[in-house]
């Protein structure tokens, strides 16, 4: 049975951010606050114009609503997207201006790192507002760079996915990793430790060559990674890796990675289903980072993060099993579960 992925479409709040003096140019999109404040990172990236940045922010904020609900977190979904200035700029001044904008929302939005932002950036934000996480951690308290937690969650999800798709562990599996940045590199280390073979690609040769040397990974060109001979494809770069063309050419039988918004369009979930490729929905696999960020914001300790990240594997196993038994795409089944939580039907179970 083939079905379209449906999505909740609440009235999102879009806050325009502009401060020419420091090069701040972007948006905060608060997609949903039904479960709590909108939580989601701040992306700092190249966009041709503000319309492109806003479109991306909306999709990412929507994904955060689903991710936070599915992870059982008392937070709604939001995201900030800032356009990276073309020339020189004062990073501290820019992120402090962003921090003042976050402060102006009075806690409706909680920010943290995403692609292009660092722990140091979040410390600049924290000079202006307390509604920020991803700050350096001290001892047993949750905190710090969320990327290792994201990678751990993806690894747990992939283990569960491999058991579902192949009936085995990751030992001896070939995993093609697209993007060896913060999440991709951490994931590669865990996979190498688990005895997996790695094929990697990154548009930045520096990031990929490092791993080639340390982990003995095989390097391929970025446009070849989705169709190499591999058991598992792990998108860990930017969104949209799963297109009709990439799915048609894919040899892997399981897709599980850290990137947000992996499906270029909802219909691609059905193409994966028809090709017999198991898909672990991105926001279910990559929730480890937001689990860390929200625990930090709530003043919890690392043990809470460890326990919640450990739930990702069993959650993926149950999701894939349910999807297989209904012959629906895991993306659709996950969306329905998250929507039931957001609309209150399964609030108690969250
Ligand atoms: P990053 O910026 O450190 O790494 C991304 C890497 O992808 C970079 O090395 C970049 O050169 C590479 N890349 C970009 N386009 C590529 C292409 N077409 N082919 C191959 N490589 C390409 O970012 P990070 O933090 O590792 O995030 C990766 C993905 O995971 C993003 O989609 C992000 O939204 C998502 N994510 C990250 C979380 C985190 O905790 N950092 C949490 C949840 C999701």
């Amino acid at each position: 049975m083939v079905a379209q992925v449906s999505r909740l479409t609440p009235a999102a709040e879009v806050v325009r951010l502009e401060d020419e003096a420091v090069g701040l140019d972007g948006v905060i999109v608060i997609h949903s606050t039904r479960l709590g404040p909108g939580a989601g990172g701040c992306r700092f990236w190249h966009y041709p114009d503000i319309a492109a940045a806003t479109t991306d922010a909306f999709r990412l904020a929507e994904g955060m609503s689903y991710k936070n609900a599915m992870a059982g977190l008392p937070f709604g979904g939001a995201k900030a997207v800032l356009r990276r200035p073309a020339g020189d700029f004062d990073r501290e001044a820019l992120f402090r201006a962003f921090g003042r904008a976050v402060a102006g929302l009075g806690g409706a939005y909680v920010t943290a790192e995403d692609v292009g932002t660092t722990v140091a950036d979040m410390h600049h934000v924290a000079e202006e507002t307390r509604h920020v996480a991803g700050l350096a951690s001290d001892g047993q308290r949750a905190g710090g760079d969320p990327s290792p937690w994201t990678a751990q969650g993806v690894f747990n999800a992939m283990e569960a996915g491999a058991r579902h798709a192949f009936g085995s562990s990751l030992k001896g599996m070939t995993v093609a990793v697209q993007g060896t940045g913060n999440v991709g590199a951490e994931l590669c280390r865990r996979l190498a430790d688990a005895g997996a073979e790695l094929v990697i690609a990154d548009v930045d040769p520096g990031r990929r060559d490092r791993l080639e040397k340390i982990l003995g990974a095989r390097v391929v060109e970025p446009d070849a990674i989705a169709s190499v001979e591999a058991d598992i494809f792990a998108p860990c770069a930017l969104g949209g890796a799963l297109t009709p063309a990439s799915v048609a050419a894919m040899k892997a039988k399981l897709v599980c990675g850290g990137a947000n918004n992996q499906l270029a369009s909802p219909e691609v979930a059905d193409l994966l289903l028809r090709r017999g490729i198991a898909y672990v929905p991105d926001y279910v696999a990559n929730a480890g980072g937001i689990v860390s960020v929200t625990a930090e914001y709530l003043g919890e300790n690392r043990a809470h993060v460890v326990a919640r990240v450990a739930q990702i594997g069993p959650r993926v196993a149950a999701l894939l099993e349910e999807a297989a038994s209904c012959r629906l795409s895991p993306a659709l089944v996950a969306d329905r579960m998250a929507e039931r939580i957001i609309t209150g039907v399964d609030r108690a179970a969250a």
Side-chain angles (χ1 to χ4, degrees):
M1 182 174 162
V2 172
Q4 298 288 309
V5 175
S6 64
R7 285 270 157 135
L8 285 178
T9 49
E13 185 184 348
V14 180
V15 182
R16 179 80 169 94
L17 310 174
E18 255 179 317
D19 186 340
E20 218 175 299
V22 298
L24 178 68
D25 183 18
V27 288
I28 295 170
V29 173
I30 302 175
H31 176 262
S32 166
T33 53
R34 287 182 77 157
L35 296 178
C42 171
R43 182 165 292 197
F44 189 50
W45 197 247
H46 309 277
Y47 290 88
D49 50 39
I50 193 65
T54 305
T55 302
D56 207 22
F58 183 85
R59 271 165 53 84
L60 290 162
E62 181 185 56
M64 291 310 301
S65 292
Y66 284 73
K67 186 188 310 195
N68 293 341
M70 196 66 161
L73 301 171
F75 287 87
K79 201 88 179 183
V81 170
L82 310 183
R83 295 177 67 203
R84 199 185 163 94
D88 288 342
F89 63 96
D90 179 340
R91 209 159 168 121
E92 175 171 355
L94 193 153
F95 279 98
R96 286 190 72 147
F98 170 62
R100 289 192 289 279
V102 174
L105 295 172
Y109 170 55
V110 179
T111 197
E113 294 90 345
D114 189 62
V115 174
T117 51
T118 64
V119 173
D121 296 330
M122 292 308 122
H123 278 275
H124 295 318
V125 173
E127 294 288 331
E128 306 287 348
T129 179
R130 64 186 175 84
H131 304 299
V132 55
L135 308 172
S137 77
D138 55 346
Q140 287 313 302
R141 295 292 284 261
D145 178 6
S147 305
W149 294 110
T150 303
Q152 183 61 48
V154 173
F155 179 82
N156 296 349
M158 200 182 282
E159 276 190 316
R163 272 194 297 277
H164 174 88
F166 310 110
S168 71
S169 75
L170 293 169
K171 192 163 194 278
M173 294 273 156
T174 300
V175 186
V177 181
Q178 178 189 51
T180 50
N182 294 324
V183 174
E186 288 280 345
L187 176 64
C188 283
R189 287 188 196 100
R190 285 163 174 76
L191 289 169
D193 286 348
E197 304 288 325
L198 295 170
V199 186
I200 59 171
D202 197 296
V203 289
D204 176 346
R207 297 192 107 167
R208 132 206 119 179
D209 293 349
R210 215 169 8 124
L211 288 185
E212 182 188 18
K213 283 202 193 77
I214 305 170
L215 304 178
R218 182 162 77 87
V219 170
V220 298
E221 289 304 313
D223 59 6
I225 190 75
S227 58
V228 287
E229 279 300 339
D231 302 297
I232 302 168
F233 175 50
C236 296
L238 300 182
L242 303 174
T243 64
S246 70
V247 170
M250 196 171 289
K251 308 209 176 46
K253 286 292 170 206
L254 170 66
V255 175
C256 178
N260 283 312
N261 296 340
Q262 292 170 23
L263 298 168
S265 61
E267 299 74 36
V268 177
D270 292 328
L271 300 180
L272 287 160
L273 184 64
R274 272 187 238 140
R275 284 221 51 217
I277 301 170
Y279 171 58
V280 179
D282 42 19
Y283 64 82
V284 184
N286 71 15
I290 197 70
V291 160
S292 168
V293 158
T294 51
E296 175 186 346
Y297 186 70
L298 295 172
E300 295 177 332
N301 60 33
R302 285 169 60 88
H304 288 100
V305 181
V306 170
R308 283 187 199 124
V309 171
Q311 289 168 3
I312 292 176
R315 186 175 297 132
V316 166
L319 172 67
L320 293 178
E321 206 168 298
E322 182 171 339
S325 70
C326 321
R327 296 193 193 161
L328 291 171
S329 82
L332 179 68
V333 173
D335 277 4
R336 285 183 179 168
M337 284 180 181
E339 284 160 10
R340 281 200 304 270
I341 294 166
I342 294 169
T343 55
V345 179
D346 283 358
R347 191 79 51 91

